Amino acid sequence: MNEYVKFFDELNPLVRLILLIIPFTSWINAIIYRFAKGNLLGAILAIPFGTIFWIIDLVSILVYGKIKVLA
């Protein structure tokens, strides 16, 4: 799982945004990324609240360049 986190963190912020623009893949990415980072609570919350996490992740990448909220 650490390989996924390293891969996603090393992606260009523009590529991360493109991955997060597509709603279904962004929901899956949010769950996998949070689980891989060791945040089980964030991964579980991302399942029912996928749309909210999608918006939070988009804003987080635009502001900070990476996912920071519950990650």
Side-chain angles (χ1 to χ4, degrees), residues 23-49:
F24 182 72
T25 60
S26 67
W27 181 62
I28 298 297
N29 279 330
I31 294 168
I32 294 172
Y33 185 79
R34 285 174 173 84
F35 183 73
K37 289 281 271 191
N39 189 348
L40 187 59
L41 178 63
I44 291 171
L45 287 175
I47 294 170
F49 302 109

Side-chain angles (χ1 to χ4, degrees), residues 3-64:
E3 294 87 22
Y4 182 79
V5 172
K6 184 178 176 183
F7 166 76
F8 197 78
D9 284 343
E10 290 177 353
L11 285 176
N12 184 342
L14 181 62
V15 175
R16 282 187 239 159
L17 278 175
I18 291 171
L19 286 175
L20 290 176
I21 288 173
I22 304 167
F24 182 72
T25 60
S26 67
W27 181 62
I28 298 297
N29 279 330
I31 294 168
I32 294 172
Y33 185 79
R34 285 174 173 84
F35 183 73
K37 289 281 271 191
N39 189 348
L40 187 59
L41 178 63
I44 291 171
L45 287 175
I47 294 170
F49 302 109
T51 305
I52 295 168
F53 275 79
W54 176 58
I55 294 168
I56 291 171
D57 290 345
L58 284 174
V59 172
S60 177
I61 287 179
L62 286 172
V63 173
Y64 301 111

